[in-house]
Amino acid sequence: MFSIFSGGIRPAHRKKATARLAVRPMDKQPVQVILPLAGSGDAVPVPLVTPGDRVRVGQKLTEPAPSLASVHASVSGTVAAVEPRQQLRGGSVLSVVIDNDGKDTPVASPTWRRVEKDAPPASLRPGELADIAAQAGLTAMDGTGRSLAQLLRAAMGKTEALIIDGTEPEPYVTARRHLMADRPEAVLGGVRLLMQALSLPRAVLALEGSQYDAVAALRGYLPLRGGDIALRLLRDRYPQRAVVQEEGRAVFSVCAAAALWDAVYQGKALTHRIVTVTGSAVTRPGNLLVPIGTPISDLIREAGGWKEEPVRLVAGGPMTGAAQFELTAPVTGETCALLALTAADLYPAAQPEGPCLRCGRCVDACPVGLAPLFLRLYAKSGQWEALKREHITACTECGACAYVCPAHLRLVHSIRVGKRRLSETADGREADHEEA
Ligand code: SF4
Ligand code: SF4
């Protein structure tokens, strides 16, 4: 199952600044949170609150829909607005804006059955676990924003192997590592709940050898051999192809496992997440426990403000994250990191694009076996049939090709634009005119 795959890269870790720092709550809570109501897909949920309403932590703001997790208030206070707001991934999304009263008043009880802490996972039906995931607003917490309940329902009865992804192959990011090191019981308990949801007797938890404190913490709760959860240490590599989704295999993040444990045994909706705030431009890097909806300006403040003006601000890892040009967009359940990078950090160094050298390094680096140089060429020249023939939709946008390209070509950007234009053309919609 964990055979070595071809392609991939080994970027420098750059995790030193936060690798040994335990998770800490914010010193000063956000004055206002902005909770986007739409996750992935086109469905737009109907808000259950209007401006002026009082809300409590964990209060449901939308009903779950088949493809969307419900959204919950992450602070207590008053709804200031329900209106479109800027998002980290670009564009505006209908959002509930809450003025924080600073009291963190929780809801009296969750809208699902709360289970005693010592109740075994087997006392819950698989369907009930998916229902709890939907009611608690759990997402995959893997950067995609997909509804965990929907993923579980789709995998039920069709899955032979369950893999829990604890790897963090992108440079700088250490949020998963600290979740596993600080809360091993919740992570392993959540893995057992996922096993129960999929009716599987065993699971594999994949980590990287460099996450040694997480490995030590988890090993403290597992037998050396023969247990229901096997730890597998992968060598550091980007991307970690061993944990990709394949037929008959379900992959969930450790964050989703711990969030399911919190929902089942603590009655908690998804309201907070760990975000690594780092990069040479911030004064005090760290792993922060952040209410979802916190504007990224507050994260910068918590990190001690600028030590040096950043050249680039990225929400997420440096390979797949989204560049930020303003500080107003909020953290979501999918935001693993905020990177404030100086010129010395830049990854890869910002350099002007040169002509393609036909060196083939991008082809060697691609873990999916694509030819990125041709994808760029065809996207730029609008050759849609050629893009299909070259399997552009199989690209995971991992960024490995751009990382190794000696000509500094913006390969991932071209591929993204090519994919979007291809789907617009297939739907008969008019293609946009962004340069590929
Ligand atoms: S971004 Fe796409 S084309 Fe480039 S290496 Fe990753 S999967 Fe391959
Ligand atoms: S790595 Fe860059 S320069 Fe080399 S073939 Fe690929 S696109 Fe061209």
Side-chain angles (χ1 to χ4, degrees):
M1 185 185 295
F2 290 95
S3 56
I4 301 302
F5 66 94
S6 62
I9 53 175
R10 300 188 72 185
H13 282 187
R14 305 199 174 196
K15 297 178 191 265
K16 213 169 161 187
T18 58
R20 289 171 181 273
L21 300 177
V23 178
R24 62 179 163 92
M26 295 176 74
D27 291 335
K28 191 165 170 264
Q29 288 297 306
V31 173
Q32 203 174 61
V33 294
I34 302 156
L35 294 148
L37 299 188
S40 61
D42 295 330
V44 179
V46 180
L48 299 172
V49 291
T50 53
D53 287 354
R54 300 277 310 158
V55 292
R56 292 169 171 237
V57 179
Q59 183 173 328
K60 211 188 317 178
L61 304 177
T62 60
E63 289 293 352
S67 61
L68 290 176
S70 57
V71 176
H72 297 76
S74 57
V75 297
S76 58
T78 308
V79 175
V82 181
E83 61 189 22
R85 288 292 183 103
Q86 188 70 26
Q87 295 304 300
L88 291 176
R89 286 269 162 199
S92 293
V93 166
L94 184 67
S95 306
V96 174
V97 183
I98 302 171
D99 285 336
N100 188 0
D101 65 10
K103 295 179 181 160
D104 265 345
T105 313
V107 281
S109 60
T111 54
W112 57 93
R113 177 171 79 94
R114 193 165 160 177
V115 178
E116 291 304 318
K117 204 176 163 189
D118 51 5
S123 63
L124 287 115
R125 288 176 294 102
E128 185 180 6
L129 282 163
D131 288 346
I132 292 175
Q135 289 295 329
L138 307 190
T139 61
M141 300 185 81
D142 59 359
T144 63
R146 295 169 299 172
S147 154
L148 180 63
Q150 190 189 25
L151 292 173
L152 284 173
R153 289 196 183 107
M156 282 173 188
K158 297 180 200 140
T159 304
E160 289 147 25
L162 172 61
I163 296 170
I164 307 300
D165 184 7
T167 68
E168 227 155 21
E170 288 208 56
Y172 292 102
V173 191
T174 56
R176 285 185 181 181
R177 170 179 177 165
H178 286 286
L179 171 68
M180 293 185 286
D182 293 1
R183 304 189 64 209
E185 278 182 287
V187 168
L188 295 173
V191 175
R192 294 194 172 100
L193 291 170
L194 290 169
M195 286 156 54
Q196 172 67 9
L198 300 180
S199 309
L200 292 173
R202 271 177 287 282
V204 171
L205 202 168
L207 304 96
E208 288 153 312
S210 56
Q211 296 168 314
Y212 52 86
D213 39 5
V215 176
L218 293 165
R219 282 217 164 115
Y221 289 88
L222 292 171
L224 265 183
R225 56 178 67 84
D228 55 350
I229 302 173
L231 297 189
R232 287 291 151 81
L233 301 193
L234 307 178
R235 64 178 174 155
D236 294 357
R237 192 179 189 114
Y238 177 83
Q240 283 292 9
R241 277 273 289 151
V243 291
V244 297
Q245 205 98 30
E246 285 176 6
E247 181 121 3
R249 178 197 279 190
V251 181
F252 294 102
S253 75
V254 281
C255 306
L260 183 59
W261 189 89
D262 284 341
V264 169
Y265 293 116
Q266 312 262 306
K268 283 188 184 167
L270 180 63
T271 57
H272 289 67
R273 74 150 295 141
I274 302 170
V275 182
T276 303
V277 185
T278 189
S280 301
V282 291
T283 307
R284 193 161 68 109
N287 284 297
L288 299 175
L289 184 64
V290 176
I292 290 171
T294 301
I296 57 174
S297 54
D298 290 29
L299 269 53
I300 302 295
R301 186 202 62 224
E302 286 291 318
W306 302 137
K307 190 164 70 180
E308 191 180 320
E309 193 68 26
V311 175
R312 193 179 293 169
L313 194 60
V314 182
M319 316 297 273
T320 57
Q324 302 300 306
F325 303 98
E326 293 173 48
L327 299 178
T328 50
V331 166
T332 70
E334 311 304 306
T335 313
C336 61
L338 180 67
L339 312 180
L341 305 176
T342 61
D345 288 329
L346 269 185
Y347 207 97
Q351 303 235 21
E353 289 186 300
C356 175
L357 307 170
R358 293 288 200 273
C359 63
R361 286 194 206 171
C362 55
V363 180
D364 292 341
C366 180
V368 191
L370 303 176
L373 74 166
F374 293 125
L375 295 179
R376 172 177 175 273
L377 192 69
Y378 298 147
K380 275 186 157 311
S381 54
Q383 297 185 57
W384 315 127
E385 285 307 313
L387 282 178
K388 276 194 240 169
R389 200 176 58 237
E390 293 288 329
H391 304 289
I392 190 172
T393 51
C395 169
T396 59
E397 300 181 16
C398 70
C401 53
Y403 178 77
V404 297
C405 176
H408 312 292
L409 295 174
R410 297 166 67 209
L411 295 165
V412 183
H413 169 79
S414 299
I415 292 169
R416 271 187 196 141
V417 174
K419 274 189 195 172
R420 199 165 63 232
R421 292 224 187 126
L422 192 62
S423 75
E424 286 164 346
T425 313
D427 293 352
R429 283 179 279 150
E430 195 185 335
D432 70 21
H433 298 290
E434 190 178 353
E435 174 89 14

